[in-house]
Structure formats: structure tokens, C-alpha cells
Amino acid sequence: MKLNAKIPAGPIEQKWTKQKFNYKLVNPSNRRKYNIIVVGSGLAGASAAASLGELGYNVHVFTYHESPRRAHSIAAQGGINAPKNYSNDGDSVYRLFYDTIKGGDYRSREGNVYRLAEVSGSIIDQCVAQGVPFARDYAGYLDNRSFGGAQLARTFYARGQTGQQLLLGAYSALSRQIKAGTVKLYARREMLDLVVIEGQARGIVARNLVNGRMESYAADAVVLATGGYSNAFYLSTNAKASNATAIWRAHKKGALFGNPCFTQIHPTCIPLTGSYQSKLTLMSESLRNDGRIWVPKKKGDTRKANDIPESERDYYLERMYPSFGNLVPRDVASRRAKEICDKGMGVGETKLAVYLDLADAIKRLGKNVIAERYGNLCDMYKLITAEDPYEVPMRIYPAVHYTMGGLWVDYDLMATVPGLFVIGEANFSDHGANRLGASALMQGLADGYFVLPYTMGNYLGGTKFKPVDTKHTAFQQSETKITEMIKKFLSIKGKRTVDEFHIALGKILWDYVGMARNKAGLKKALEMIPKLRGEFWRDVNVVGSGNELNAELEKAGRVADYFELSELMALDALHREESCGGHFREEYQTEEGEAKRNDKAFSYVAAWEYAGPNKKPILNKEPLKFEYVIPSQRSYK
């Protein structure tokens, strides 16, 4: 398959402006004739649905929650990037573009990333108009703080609950359209298949999670805004309900999957404390603004943190990266923490932790200032660990957080299935091999508020549609296929729970496809995953029935998809014989232990095509061209 990213020609500063003018338009009175399905109600989905509804389209929004406010976007803590330069410290659209390309280790498209930086300032204006309570300085202006991968302050924030406040803003806009009748909300529905008719995405089949019924919905276009797939690892910072089923089922209907091995490890999470845990808790990267990261210089030092004098502490990020210090990008900070702990310098009972210490900031600024900036984070840490971070350093360790991979999309955010648009973390994104902190919220809202409304109009205005309803055989075939899968789950009657299999799969991924990978480990994972998947289909025990609320049945379908996706992740990681960003192959590193790219051989997006059950996926390549930011060895020293 020949991939066409559809990047417009011309100077990078003019690409999006010219493209918008060249797009086809839909007359306002004709928009009500089109039906659009949006799956997912987080920042990307809610903003897209609200914007499309405001334009006058008939929008149908699906969420497996009882309310859009439960979307995982609420968990984002630290902030959202925009180059407003309110801090007057040298920021610009071009600098945000540059930092994002560099932070992604030169594995993202220049055209997409520049557009993201270009529209990001409008997000802040939109959200302020919605009443989002961004932090303000003493003079009343919007405040900014720094995040990893940048040497300036461009991150807007609402204490440590930025995602929640932004989602409430998007939810208010969505609710307005629901009341106006342009948007219809379908709660407690899970998309289980994409319906493709004559090569076009024309609807979905969803399961009503309350009564178990299959429901089909037809439309002229489908938008997937269902987030990432970090929960394949079982333990991640994602909400337990977050899953990959929507994008994976779409992949099996013809949508290529881009860069599946690019997963992000977040450096500041509360460490794992026992085998009973079902998820990990994020501590915002914003803490690295004021928190200093260190470990004892002496190996095996068992003294309490406050008993270790300054001279016997190793502030290793400040030592290794004097220019950026504790604000190096996430992939760098995560690898260094792992390296330190692997050398036996870790702290806490498990020794898989390092300290994040607010003591210097409290001494310099006062406890009240730190509480204003991070109070809810400190409260959350204390509730979970029974330790007061105002009095003793936090213990942190890297954890699986975000996925840069996802369904491949072109400049218009459309997948390789015409009429299927993928936005936010569900697509292979604008972040390359590593996402800079505070850029997830930026991308989700940019896609939903300021990109998709244009590209959707272009598609609808330039496409002829045959009348289609849910009586079409394609919908019936999808419903039959899903029903048969459900019957199969319920008929196995094995001895092991879904969670047991998910935990075992997660361990394989973390051990061999996690923070560091190597050829031998990836090959081992590719042997272990199919074997475990076979055991799953022979020995899983899914209780209950299919015609009722059944959380175990929901999990079974999601884990079945994780097995297939995990194999693709390992295959993608094995084929990419280089290190870049979050993809760290131990065989390919510099003498200083940094990621070593191979631009000559791997400067492309790996877009995988589904070839059928038990068949090897087909690799398609989209070459990456750099005209404005010349790839070089990343340095944060």
C-alpha cells in the first residue's frame, strides 16, 4: 500500500492556512443532512463532537461511561502547552515546533507538528472563554510553568488538575449541543466493530453495556477518539477501563497501525508496592519544576532520606544534564532512573524508586506557594503512601503512561479507510518516538476544536454517499461475528480469570517490550505471547451471560485484542533496529547511554497492515522528510 500523507506544498508557515482555503466546504443548510459518529468523549472526542455539532452536523457520541465527564482525560495533571510567550522568555510557534520534533527524536512529520504548534494558542483562548480556571499570576495574567524538554515556560495549568478542568470546559460545550439537538449522546455503549461498506467507513456496531444488546448505527463518517493502549501492560497510569478495542477492530477492517512500539514511560509515578495492585498512580511531571531528583551516593544506603546529608546525595539529572537538569524529556529521565536503580542505588523497600524532593523549593518559596502549585498532588501522594511530601521526599519510579503509536492518519486525520477519522492519542500522533509533557492535552484539543472541523467538511463535501442504513448486510455480518465471539468466551469455562491472563501478558510486555528492549528479549516475547494467547482461548473463565451487565465479558474482549496488539508491538520493536525516544534498543546506544538513531535506515513511519488471522502483518513505510529541523543526536546537556 502506497501511503500518501497529503502534506500540502509550500512554506511550513503557510501550509495549514493554504490548505484550509483549498478544502471543499459544506453549505450550512446542507450540514444537517450528514450524520457523524464520534466514539469517545474525552478531550479529543468531546471537543470534536461539540465543534461539529456547532457547525450543524448531526453528531452521535458514544461512551462506555455513564457520563463523558468520566473520560480518562480528567486524569491529566500538569498542564497544556501553547507558545503564547506570556513569560517573555523567548517562546514562539517555531520554537514549540522545534522542541516537539526534537523531543520526538525526529520520528514525526514536520507538517503535522507545525500545525499543532500553530493552533495551540487558540486552544487557550477557547478554554478561557469556556471558563477553565487556569492559574494566574499576581497581576492577573495566565501563569506558565516549565515542563520536560523545554528551557522556557509555556505550560498553562490549573493546579494539578488541568485535564479535569479542560474536560469540564469541553463537556460544557458538548452539553450545549446536546441540548440544542445537534448532538445525541449514547452512554454505556462500547464500540466492538467498524462497519465498512464499499471501502468507506459507514457506521459501527456497539454493545449496550447495561442490557447486553447489540446495536448498529449508520453514518457518513466515523471519528475514533478512544485514547491509547498502555493498558496492554496491565499496570499503567491509565484508568482501568481504557482499552484498545475500537482502534484494533478498525485496524482489522483495513486501517493501518502506525509505530505500535512507540510507548512512553513516565518518570514520576508512585512505585509499585505489591502484586495486588491493578494500576499505577501518576505524579505530575510538573513536580520536576520544583522537585529535585536524587539518590544516596552510597550503594545500599538504608538511612531515612532526611538523615542523608547534602554531600552524600547524588542529584544525578542535574549532574548529567546541567542545561536541562530535572527537566529533561520523559524518556531520558525514565531511563536514567532505571539505570540508577539497576546499579543498586534505588531507595525504598523494593529499591525500585528514586527521591523527588521538594525541600529546597519549600525553603526558598514557602510551603504555601508549593501547596498552591501542587497541593492536590501532595494530598494524593499522602493518601496513597501515608507519607507527607512536605516533610519527606516523594518516592517515584517510571511507569507505562502514553502511547505515541496508533492508527495511521494523513494530514487530514483520516485513516487508510476513507471516512474513518482518528484523533487524539488514538492516532499515531504528532509526537514521534517520545511525547513532551503537556502536549497530550494540546494535541487532543487541537484535533477536535481546530483541525477536524475543516478536514471533515472537506471529506463530506467531496464524497458521494449511497444511502445506507443498519439493515445493510455489513451491519448484520458484524453483529453476527461479535455475537459468536461472545458465545465463545462464555462457553470456554476454563479455570483462570481474565485478569490472570492480563497480568501474565503485562509482565511479558514490561520485561521484554518495556523501558529497554533487545533482540533476544523481543524474540522471546514473540514466542511467549502467542503461547499465552492460546492458553487464554482454552482456559479463560468468563462468568455471567451476554444479555446483561457483565464486566468480565467486557474485559475478555479487550484482553483478546491486547494479545494481538502486543504481538504487533513486539514485532515492530524487533524490526526497528535503532534506538529513538521511548523505543530504546540496548544494542543501539551511544557511549554515554543515550538513544542512537539510524536515520539512514529507519527515518520512516512504520505502518502495519492486517493480513488476516494467524498471518504475518505487512509493513508499509511512510518516509519522513526534514526540511526545517535537521536530525541530530539529541542533547540536553
Side-chain angles (χ1 to χ4, degrees):
M1 183 180 294
K2 188 174 182 180
L3 296 174
N4 181 6
K6 299 180 182 176
I7 307 295
I12 200 165
E13 300 88 352
Q14 300 174 18
K15 289 181 185 294
W16 180 231
T17 300
K18 286 187 174 181
Q19 188 77 335
K20 285 188 292 184
F21 177 75
N22 291 330
Y23 279 148
K24 293 180 175 63
L25 300 176
V26 178
N27 185 301
S29 62
N30 286 335
R31 292 172 193 160
R32 66 178 70 96
K33 299 176 183 178
Y34 293 102
N35 291 296
I36 301 170
I37 286 173
V38 177
V39 185
S41 64
L43 284 177
S47 60
S51 300
L52 293 169
E54 179 72 30
L55 286 169
Y57 296 108
N58 292 313
V59 183
H60 305 266
V61 180
F62 294 81
T63 175
Y64 51 61
H65 296 295
E66 72 278 7
S67 166
R69 290 176 297 174
R70 292 289 302 278
H72 182 62
S73 297
I74 67 166
Q77 297 167 346
I80 176 170
N81 287 331
K84 290 283 197 179
N85 197 32
Y86 288 169
S87 302
N88 199 32
D89 55 0
D91 205 5
S92 64
V93 169
Y94 196 91
R95 190 175 292 278
L96 175 55
F97 157 69
Y98 173 86
D99 287 344
T100 305
I101 291 285
K102 176 184 175 183
D105 220 349
Y106 308 96
R107 290 294 174 262
S108 49
R109 296 181 190 140
E110 285 189 332
N112 281 59
V113 175
Y114 192 90
R115 177 178 64 185
L116 176 64
E118 182 181 354
V119 305
S120 62
S122 298
I123 298 172
I124 305 305
D125 300 337
Q126 172 96 353
C127 294
V128 169
Q130 291 172 340
V132 173
F134 286 119
R136 294 178 180 268
D137 61 20
Y138 183 75
Y141 294 103
L142 297 183
D143 201 8
N144 289 119
R145 59 188 178 198
S146 299
F147 255 65
Q151 290 182 298
L152 39 74
R154 64 161 64 101
T155 303
F156 296 80
Y157 64 98
R159 213 175 188 184
Q161 49 187 249
T162 312
Q164 181 180 22
Q165 298 302 327
L166 290 171
L167 184 60
L168 289 172
Y171 175 67
S172 68
L174 178 64
S175 297
R176 180 174 180 270
Q177 296 308 314
I178 292 173
K179 185 176 181 180
T182 61
V183 175
K184 186 173 181 180
L185 175 67
Y186 299 82
R188 302 297 287 146
R189 265 82 167 185
E190 181 172 28
M191 173 187 157
L192 295 180
D193 203 13
L194 175 73
V195 178
V196 179
I197 299 174
E198 297 184 9
Q200 294 175 322
R202 294 305 303 269
I204 65 169
V205 174
R207 180 172 181 268
N208 186 315
L209 299 181
V210 177
N211 58 33
R213 293 175 188 159
M214 290 300 145
E215 299 175 352
S216 290
Y217 301 90
D220 300 301
V222 176
V223 180
L224 298 186
T226 52
Y229 49 91
S230 288
N231 271 352
F233 287 81
Y234 186 73
L235 286 174
S236 83
T237 65
N238 283 204
K240 288 299 292 179
S242 298
N243 66 85
T245 287
I247 59 172
W248 188 251
R249 304 285 171 93
H251 170 60
K252 295 172 80 169
K253 283 296 185 75
L256 268 57
F257 208 112
N259 297 333
C261 78
F262 286 172
T263 56
Q264 183 173 77
I265 311 296
H266 197 292
T268 55
C269 298
I270 298 178
L272 179 70
T273 57
S275 59
Y276 56 84
Q277 279 188 241
S278 61
K279 76 176 300 293
L280 297 170
T281 303
L282 175 69
M283 285 286 104
S284 171
E285 180 183 336
S286 62
L287 289 163
R288 293 200 277 155
N289 273 286
D290 290 303
R292 301 180 70 192
I293 295 171
W294 63 276
V295 292
K297 289 182 178 179
K298 182 182 176 183
K299 186 176 181 179
D301 196 329
T302 58
R303 288 177 293 176
K304 293 181 179 179
N306 290 341
D307 293 336
I308 300 175
E310 190 76 13
S311 60
E312 296 179 33
R313 300 179 179 187
D314 179 14
Y315 295 92
Y316 60 90
L317 290 178
E318 298 173 29
R319 169 174 56 82
M320 299 172 74
Y321 306 98
S323 293
F324 281 73
N326 295 299
L327 288 173
V328 291
R330 291 174 173 178
D331 60 320
V332 176
S334 295
R335 283 199 297 275
R336 295 290 82 85
K338 180 182 185 296
E339 179 184 88
I340 288 288
C341 291
D342 287 348
K343 290 179 178 179
M345 313 301 289
V347 301
E349 290 185 12
T350 64
K351 301 302 179 186
L352 292 177
V354 298
Y355 289 128
L356 190 152
D357 198 342
L358 294 167
D360 281 0
I362 291 173
K363 184 177 180 181
R364 184 178 71 255
L365 302 170
K367 181 179 176 180
N368 289 342
V369 172
I370 299 304
E372 287 175 3
R373 293 177 180 176
Y374 316 108
N376 62 311
L377 297 171
C378 293
D379 292 343
M380 185 164 60
Y381 183 87
K382 185 176 181 180
L383 284 170
I384 293 171
T385 66
E387 296 177 358
D388 186 349
Y390 296 114
E391 302 296 332
V392 297
M394 290 182 177
R395 287 174 291 108
I396 58 167
Y397 193 69
V400 179
H401 178 58
Y402 186 90
T403 50
M404 284 74 67
L407 294 185
W408 184 91
V409 292
D410 60 20
Y411 190 73
D412 294 346
L413 303 180
M414 191 158 67
T416 45
V417 176
L420 176 65
F421 293 83
V422 191
I423 60 177
E425 192 181 356
N427 71 31
F428 85 108
S429 85
D430 302 335
H431 308 298
N434 177 62
R435 176 175 68 79
L436 294 183
S439 287
L441 306 182
M442 175 176 67
Q443 187 215 345
L445 292 178
D447 287 353
Y449 282 138
F450 300 109
V451 179
L452 186 67
Y454 288 95
T455 63
M456 178 63 75
N458 179 61
Y459 172 72
L460 296 176
T463 305
K464 292 184 178 180
F465 296 95
K466 291 183 178 180
V468 166
D469 60 28
T470 56
K471 295 179 182 178
H472 193 284
T473 55
F475 286 94
Q476 297 170 11
Q477 289 169 358
S478 284
E479 286 195 26
T480 300
K481 180 180 67 174
I482 296 166
T483 302
E484 289 174 353
M485 178 183 284
I486 288 172
K487 287 179 179 177
K488 186 173 182 180
F489 281 135
L490 297 170
S491 68
I492 296 172
K493 304 296 182 184
K495 297 180 180 178
R496 298 165 68 181
T497 66
V498 175
D499 279 343
E500 286 181 74
F501 282 103
H502 195 179
I503 290 168
L505 173 63
K507 189 174 189 318
I508 294 171
L509 285 178
W510 180 251
D511 288 347
Y512 303 112
V513 199
M515 214 181 320
R517 302 120 182 228
N518 58 58
K519 185 175 183 178
L522 290 166
K523 285 187 172 182
K524 187 171 183 179
L526 286 168
E527 293 173 359
M528 297 173 73
I529 294 170
K531 182 180 178 182
L532 184 64
R533 183 172 72 244
E535 294 175 14
F536 172 80
W537 284 107
R538 290 191 302 270
D539 198 32
V540 72
N541 183 20
V542 181
V543 296
S545 72
N547 358 322
E548 62 182 354
L549 179 66
N550 190 338
E552 285 300 300
L553 180 59
E554 294 170 36
K555 287 193 292 184
R558 296 165 185 173
V559 172
D561 293 332
Y562 284 146
F563 272 114
E564 297 177 359
L565 172 55
S566 297
E567 195 167 348
L568 185 62
M569 291 165 63
L571 183 66
D572 187 40
L574 180 64
H575 111 274
R576 189 170 283 276
E577 296 180 335
E578 65 166 350
S579 289
C580 54
H583 168 65
F584 190 75
R585 282 284 295 268
E586 293 174 343
E587 306 96 318
Y588 308 102
Q589 55 182 299
T590 67
E591 292 180 359
E592 297 174 323
E594 304 292 353
K596 187 176 182 180
R597 297 190 321 275
N598 183 345
D599 293 329
K600 187 175 182 180
F602 293 98
S603 187
Y604 59 75
V605 178
W608 295 89
E609 182 179 349
Y610 181 72
N614 302 314
K615 292 184 179 179
K616 189 173 180 180
I618 301 165
L619 174 61
N620 299 272
K621 300 176 182 179
E622 180 206 332
L624 293 171
K625 299 179 181 179
F626 296 93
E627 300 178 60
Y628 295 88
V629 182
I630 305 303
S632 60
Q633 176 63 42
R634 277 198 305 164
S635 175
Y636 294 95
K637 296 186 175 183

